Structures are given as structure tokens and as C-alpha cells.
Amino acid sequence: MAEKMKVLFCSSEVAPYAKTGGLADVAGSLPVALKEIGIDIRIVMPKYKCVNIEGDRDLLQGKVWVYFVDNKEYFHRDYLYSTPEGDYSDNLDRFVYYCKSVLEISKREGFSPDIIHCNDWQTALIPVYIKSIYSQDEFFKNTRTIFTIHNIAYQGLFPSEEWEKTSLPGELFSIQGLEYYGKINLMKGAILFSDYITTVSPTYSKEIQTPEYGFGMEGILKGRSDRLAGIINGIDYSVWNPAEDKEIPQNYDIKTIDKKVINKQYLQTEYEMEIGRDIPLIGAIGRLTDQKGWDLIAEVIDEICQLDLQLIILGTGEKKYHQLMEEIATKYPRNTSINLKFDPILAKKIYAGCDLFLMPSKFEPCGLGQLISYRYGTLPIARQIGGLADTIIDLTQNPKNGTGFLFREYSGRALVEAITRAINFYRNRKGWRNVMKKVMKLDYSWKNSARQYLHLYKEIKNLPTALNVR
Ligand code: ADP
């Protein structure tokens, strides 16, 4: 029997141990799906303060070993990367330490990987180390690297004075290397030196090759377009499951879909909105950053609230958005419920209890909210970009196959227009019920995407390696 493919999966956050966003969901479920289709996969992540595990390893979902990089000084902190005041000032030290530890743990465990699968800037030095410091190391002789971009807006930028901390040769701080407008850019290093690059949706993989969405990386990504592909994320169907979810007030499935409304009444009651099964309830969950389109919501909140609907928001992030949201809460206490915190249980109740889920993102690499919403029979209203464009079909344009409501232009006007269309559609209760059933039947579990990764791993294994640095 052929030996199993060995994959070392590197991520700075893995659910349920530590999570700030979608990356953790992916890292906590894709490896499990890969294990189930026969890959010998292990994960390495930092041991933050919030990681409640004795020792230096744990079995994720009883299936995949997770190794923890333990360094009290670097990781035993209240947040992962930044406090509300800003980024930790020693983030380069922290993630250099993490990246080096990944390679050392791999050696310590005698786990010589066919593929090291890296994710986002925190892991970006690993492919660079493999091609430089470790290029002569027999242990990694047959190792290929793949770098997945979950969000190109965060590249890991540091002042040039910190270069020494990377332990990389000086010549790599150049335009052909990690230098970017006088700064160190970790993601640039990974894009240049990985054997393959992926993003989390096909549309985003094309968008990031353009100035509008590339955040300065479009040129070098174009240069590597023969080694760049998009694979859509899945979600963990055992975690997100309205039939068995213990966190929601009322379980339901396609056959008992009428019970979903009990979750809506719960939200209306608990969160002090008017109680009524026919008032459309819209949810929005996400990091309060520029990316997610909160500015659009704030801009047209008056028009939105005139539409006889309710809005429940859950999010945490930048101060300016906290303020904007608080203003909305004060102005529209009966129409809205604003929850400025990170709360996975409330998130589930929102996915289950709402009729619609709002994602007016400026850009969206994949987006998980729309996929989770489908699972709970909640229809998305979203901008037609990135992974949202790949996973949502507009109901107005394609009533037969439609799954949600899309708008293209990044403007308050376009957002209000899409919400209005959704609300009008909602009045047709029978049609609505059918679409709810349709989206609950969609399959965005990891099964398909894990197969695509497996296929890619096999292909990369046989590719000539990208250039060694020295
Ligand atoms: P991103 O990775 O850009 O943050 P995604 O849509 O890919 O966005 O994933 C976001 C994930 O984080 C979803 O599972 C969402 O439910 C969850 N999430 C975001 N903000 C919060 C919050 N304040 N409380 C609970 N869950 C949240």
C-alpha cells in the first residue's frame, strides 16, 4: 500500500481553541475532513492564554493531532494579535518564533511532511525558511509548501529595522524579496517562495490580481498565476446543524421548518424587539472593520429602519464602528438589537432565528456567514464579490435557482435596493418557504473542498519546486 500523504497544517488560530474569524473555522474543520479522506495531517498553532489544554498537544475532534507552540511571554496574553488600542508591538518576534517552532516540532516528531500547508501572514515565513535557512536540510528535502491567502488585507508589515529578527539573509530584504516600500512584508515572501498559492474562492483568486482588491500584491500574484488557484471553503456540518444544535432554543430541519420561527420569537423577546412572526428579521455578524461594510449600514440606517423590519447585529472590532453601532442602538431601540461582543452562542441563535443575513462586504475572500445561514434556512443579502459571488445566486435574476439577494455597487443606495427586494420577496410566504428548503439542501460541507485540496496536494508533490533562494 502506498504511504499516506503527510501534511503539516499551520494556522495561528484553530477553532475551538482560539478564534477571531473565519480562519479558525477553516483550520478547525478542513484538517479533519482531510484526515477522513486518508491524509496523515497534523496541525501546529500557538498556545494562547485562551487555549485550555494541559500539555503541548491535543486531539482535535478526536481525530487530528494539534501541537501547541508554548511560549508564555509571547502567547499568554488576552488577545491574539492586537488589543483595542492596536497591534502588539512584538508581533514579528511572536510569529518568527511560531514559524521556526513549526519546523522544529516537525523534526522533533519525526514528521517529515510532503506538504506544509500555511495560512495567512502569521505563517508566511515558513515557505521562506524552507527555501533559505532549511534549503539544505535533508529532513525537508521532499517537502513542498502551499500558502493559502484567507485575507490579503493583512500582510504582516513591519519596519525595516526589525529585519534581523527574521534571521533571513540580508539580500532577501530587496524588491525581489520581502521588501515592500521600505517595509518588511511577510505575505509577499510567502507569495514569492511557496510552491503553490491558493485563496478561499475562485473569484477572489482573480480579484486579488487586480489593483482594486490586490492591496499592492496584484503584480507579484499575476507573476505567479500559473501556481495560483481558488478553492471555496466549506463549513463543519456537525458544528452548524439546526437539527441537533444544543445552543439554539428550538431545533428544526427541512421537514419541521415551521419551528424555525420559535427561534425568531426568542430573539425578539430576549433582545427587546417587537414580537411578530411576519416582521422580517435581519441578522449581521462579523468583525467591526472597514472590510465588512458597516459604514454602508450606518449610512442608510434611517432608510433601512423605515422598511418595517428588524435588525440584530453582533460584532466587535474598531472603536469607530462601536460608536456608530451605539448611535444606531440609541436611535432605533425597538427595531434593532446591537451586541458589541464576541459571542459564538448568540451567533448561532442569530443564524437560526433570522429570516435574512446581511453581508455588504467591501471585499470577501470567501465568507462563511452565507454558508452557515443556508444551513439554518436563512437567506443572505450580500455584495456580489469574492466568495459571496461564488456561492450566492440572486433570486430576482434567477428565481428558479436563486438562493439570496445580491447587489454589486458598493453604495448605501444599492444596499437599500437589495434589502427592499428581499423584504418584498419575503411577503410571498409560500415562495419564501420553498427557497428556505432549497438553501437548507445545499451542500457546503468540507467533502467537496477537501477533495480539491487532496487533488492539489498530489499535483504539488510532483511539481518541480519553486526556486530556492540559495
Ligand atoms: P472573517 O474571517 O473575515 O472574519 P468569515 O465570514 O469568513 O469572516 O468568518 C467569520 C466567522 O466568525 C463566522 O463563523 C462568524 O459567525 C464568526 N464571528 C464573527 N464575529 C463574531 C462575533 N462577534 N461573535 C461570534 N462569532 C463571530
Side-chain angles (χ1 to χ4, degrees), residues 348-386:
K348 283 190 155 186
K349 290 174 176 163
I350 292 176
Y351 288 119
C354 288
D355 303 296
L356 289 150
F357 190 81
L358 193 56
M359 297 180 80
S361 307
K362 205 171 267 168
F363 62 93
E364 196 57 81
C366 175
L368 298 177
Q370 79 281 20
L371 308 181
I372 302 171
S373 294
Y374 286 155
R375 188 82 168 128
Y376 288 81
T378 303
L379 308 193
I381 304 173
R383 251 193 99 212
Q384 192 176 18
I385 39 112

Coordinates of all heavy atoms in Angstrom, one line a residue, residues 348-386:
K348 N -25.0 31.7 16.9 CA -25.8 30.5 16.4 C -27.3 30.9 16.5 O -28.1 30.5 15.6 CB -25.5 29.3 17.3 CG -24.2 28.6 16.9 CD -24.1 27.3 17.6 CE -23.2 26.4 16.8 NZ -23.2 25.1 17.3
K349 N -27.7 31.6 17.6 CA -29.1 31.9 17.8 C -29.5 32.9 16.7 O -30.7 32.9 16.2 CB -29.3 32.6 19.1 CG -29.2 31.5 20.3 CD -29.2 32.2 21.6 CE -29.2 31.2 22.7 NZ -28.9 31.8 24.0
I350 N -28.6 33.7 16.2 CA -28.9 34.7 15.2 C -29.1 34.0 13.8 O -30.0 34.2 13.1 CB -27.9 35.8 15.1 CG1 -27.9 36.7 16.3 CG2 -28.0 36.6 13.8 CD1 -26.9 37.8 16.4
Y351 N -28.1 33.1 13.5 CA -28.2 32.3 12.3 C -29.5 31.5 12.3 O -30.2 31.4 11.2 CB -27.1 31.3 12.1 CG -25.7 31.9 11.8 CD1 -24.6 31.8 12.7 CD2 -25.5 32.6 10.6 CE1 -23.4 32.4 12.4 CE2 -24.3 33.2 10.3 CZ -23.2 33.1 11.2 OH -22.0 33.6 10.9
A352 N -29.9 31.0 13.4 CA -31.2 30.2 13.5 C -32.4 31.0 13.5 O -33.4 30.6 12.9 CB -31.1 29.3 14.7
G353 N -32.4 32.2 14.1 CA -33.6 32.9 14.4 C -34.0 34.0 13.3 O -35.1 34.4 13.2
C354 N -33.0 34.3 12.4 CA -33.3 35.4 11.5 C -33.9 34.8 10.2 O -33.7 33.7 9.9 CB -32.0 36.1 11.2 SG -31.5 37.2 12.5
D355 N -34.5 35.7 9.4 CA -35.0 35.4 8.1 C -34.0 35.7 7.1 O -33.8 34.9 6.1 CB -36.3 36.2 7.8 CG -37.4 36.1 8.8 OD1 -37.9 34.9 8.9 OD2 -37.7 37.0 9.5
L356 N -33.2 36.7 7.3 CA -32.2 37.2 6.4 C -30.9 37.4 7.1 O -30.8 37.8 8.2 CB -32.7 38.4 5.7 CG -33.9 38.3 4.7 CD1 -34.7 39.5 4.6 CD2 -33.3 37.9 3.3
F357 N -29.8 37.3 6.3 CA -28.5 37.6 6.9 C -27.7 38.5 6.0 O -27.6 38.3 4.8 CB -27.7 36.2 7.0 CG -26.4 36.4 7.8 CD1 -26.5 36.4 9.2 CD2 -25.2 36.5 7.2 CE1 -25.3 36.5 10.0 CE2 -24.0 36.6 7.9 CZ -24.1 36.6 9.3
L358 N -27.2 39.6 6.5 CA -26.7 40.7 5.8 C -25.1 40.7 5.7 O -24.5 40.6 6.7 CB -27.1 42.0 6.4 CG -27.0 43.3 5.7 CD1 -27.7 43.2 4.3 CD2 -27.6 44.4 6.5
M359 N -24.6 40.7 4.5 CA -23.1 40.8 4.3 C -22.7 41.8 3.2 O -22.4 41.4 2.1 CB -22.6 39.4 3.9 CG -22.8 38.3 5.0 SD -22.2 36.7 4.5 CE -20.4 36.9 4.9
P360 N -22.8 43.1 3.5 CA -22.5 44.1 2.5 C -21.0 44.4 2.3 O -20.6 45.5 2.1 CB -23.2 45.3 3.0 CG -23.2 45.1 4.5 CD -23.1 43.7 4.8
S361 N -20.1 43.3 2.3 CA -18.7 43.5 2.4 C -18.1 44.3 1.3 O -18.5 44.2 0.1 CB -18.0 42.1 2.5 OG -18.6 41.3 3.5
K362 N -17.0 45.0 1.6 CA -16.3 45.7 0.6 C -15.5 44.7 -0.3 O -15.4 44.8 -1.5 CB -15.3 46.7 1.3 CG -14.9 47.8 0.5 CD -14.1 48.8 1.3 CE -15.0 49.9 1.9 NZ -14.4 50.7 2.9
F363 N -14.9 43.7 0.4 CA -14.3 42.6 -0.2 C -14.6 41.4 0.7 O -14.7 41.5 1.9 CB -12.8 42.8 -0.5 CG -12.0 43.0 0.7 CD1 -11.3 41.9 1.3 CD2 -11.8 44.2 1.2 CE1 -10.6 42.1 2.4 CE2 -11.0 44.4 2.4 CZ -10.4 43.3 2.9
E364 N -14.6 40.2 0.1 CA -14.9 39.0 0.9 C -14.2 37.8 0.3 O -14.7 37.2 -0.7 CB -16.4 38.8 1.0 CG -16.8 37.8 2.1 CD -16.3 38.3 3.5 OE1 -16.9 39.2 4.1 OE2 -15.3 37.7 3.9
P365 N -13.1 37.4 0.8 CA -12.3 36.2 0.3 C -13.2 35.0 0.1 O -13.2 34.4 -1.0 CB -11.2 36.0 1.3 CG -11.0 37.3 1.9 CD -12.4 38.0 2.0
C366 N -13.9 34.6 1.1 CA -14.9 33.5 0.9 C -16.2 33.9 1.6 O -17.2 34.1 1.0 CB -14.4 32.2 1.5 SG -15.6 30.9 1.4
G367 N -16.1 34.2 2.9 CA -17.3 34.5 3.7 C -17.8 33.1 4.2 O -18.1 32.2 3.4
L368 N -18.1 33.0 5.4 CA -18.7 31.8 6.0 C -20.1 32.1 6.4 O -21.0 31.2 6.4 CB -17.9 31.3 7.2 CG -16.4 30.9 6.9 CD1 -15.7 30.5 8.2 CD2 -16.4 29.8 5.9
G369 N -20.4 33.3 6.7 CA -21.8 33.7 7.2 C -22.9 33.2 6.2 O -23.9 32.7 6.7
Q370 N -22.7 33.4 4.9 CA -23.7 33.0 4.0 C -23.9 31.5 4.0 O -25.0 31.0 3.8 CB -23.4 33.6 2.6 CG -22.4 32.8 1.8 CD -21.0 33.2 2.1 OE1 -20.7 33.6 3.2 NE2 -20.0 32.9 1.2
L371 N -22.8 30.7 4.2 CA -22.9 29.3 4.1 C -23.5 28.7 5.4 O -24.4 27.8 5.4 CB -21.5 28.7 4.0 CG -20.6 29.2 2.8 CD1 -19.3 28.5 2.8 CD2 -21.3 29.1 1.5
I372 N -23.2 29.4 6.5 CA -23.8 29.0 7.8 C -25.3 29.3 7.7 O -26.2 28.5 8.1 CB -23.2 29.7 9.0 CG1 -21.7 29.4 9.0 CG2 -23.9 29.3 10.3 CD1 -20.9 30.2 10.0
S373 N -25.6 30.5 7.2 CA -27.0 30.9 7.0 C -27.9 29.9 6.2 O -29.0 29.5 6.7 CB -27.1 32.3 6.3 OG -26.6 33.2 7.1
Y374 N -27.3 29.4 5.1 CA -28.0 28.4 4.3 C -28.4 27.2 5.2 O -29.5 26.7 5.1 CB -27.1 27.9 3.2 CG -26.9 28.8 2.0 CD1 -25.7 28.7 1.3 CD2 -27.8 29.8 1.7 CE1 -25.5 29.5 0.2 CE2 -27.6 30.6 0.6 CZ -26.4 30.5 -0.2 OH -26.2 31.3 -1.3
R375 N -27.4 26.8 6.0 CA -27.7 25.6 6.8 C -28.9 25.8 7.7 O -29.5 24.8 8.1 CB -26.4 25.4 7.6 CG -26.3 24.1 8.4 CD -25.9 23.0 7.5 NE -25.5 21.9 8.4 CZ -26.0 20.7 8.3 NH1 -26.8 20.4 7.3 NH2 -25.7 19.7 9.2
Y376 N -29.1 27.1 8.1 CA -30.2 27.4 9.1 C -31.4 27.9 8.4 O -32.3 28.4 9.0 CB -29.7 28.3 10.2 CG -28.7 27.7 11.1 CD1 -27.4 27.6 10.8 CD2 -29.2 27.2 12.4 CE1 -26.5 27.0 11.7 CE2 -28.3 26.6 13.3 CZ -27.0 26.5 12.9 OH -26.1 25.9 13.8
G377 N -31.4 27.8 7.0 CA -32.6 28.3 6.3 C -32.8 29.8 6.3 O -33.9 30.3 6.2
T378 N -31.7 30.5 6.4 CA -31.7 32.0 6.5 C -31.1 32.5 5.2 O -30.0 32.0 4.8 CB -30.9 32.4 7.7 OG1 -31.5 31.8 8.8 CG2 -30.9 33.9 7.9
L379 N -31.8 33.4 4.5 CA -31.3 33.8 3.2 C -30.3 35.0 3.2 O -30.6 36.0 3.9 CB -32.5 34.1 2.2 CG -33.6 33.1 2.1 CD1 -34.5 33.5 1.0 CD2 -33.0 31.7 1.9
P380 N -29.2 34.9 2.5 CA -28.3 36.0 2.5 C -28.6 37.2 1.6 O -29.2 37.0 0.6 CB -27.0 35.4 2.0 CG -27.4 34.2 1.2 CD -28.7 33.8 1.7
I381 N -28.3 38.4 2.1 CA -28.3 39.6 1.3 C -26.8 40.1 1.2 O -26.3 40.3 2.3 CB -29.1 40.8 1.9 CG1 -30.6 40.3 2.2 CG2 -29.1 42.0 1.0 CD1 -31.4 41.4 3.0
A382 N -26.2 40.1 0.1 CA -24.8 40.3 0.0 C -24.3 41.0 -1.2 O -25.0 41.1 -2.2 CB -24.1 39.0 0.1
R383 N -23.1 41.5 -1.1 CA -22.5 42.1 -2.3 C -22.0 41.0 -3.2 O -21.5 40.0 -2.7 CB -21.3 43.0 -1.9 CG -21.7 44.5 -2.1 CD -20.4 45.3 -2.0 NE -19.9 45.6 -3.3 CZ -18.6 45.8 -3.6 NH1 -17.7 45.6 -2.7 NH2 -18.3 46.1 -4.8
Q384 N -22.0 41.3 -4.5 CA -21.6 40.3 -5.5 C -20.1 40.3 -5.8 O -19.7 40.8 -6.8 CB -22.4 40.5 -6.8 CG -22.3 39.3 -7.7 CD -23.2 39.6 -9.0 OE1 -23.6 40.7 -9.3 NE2 -23.5 38.5 -9.7
I385 N -19.4 39.9 -4.8 CA -17.9 39.9 -4.9 C -17.3 38.7 -4.2 O -18.0 38.1 -3.4 CB -17.3 41.2 -4.3 CG1 -18.0 41.5 -3.0 CG2 -17.3 42.3 -5.2 CD1 -17.2 41.4 -1.8
G386 N -16.1 38.3 -4.6 CA -15.4 37.3 -3.9 C -16.2 36.0 -3.7 O -16.9 35.6 -4.6

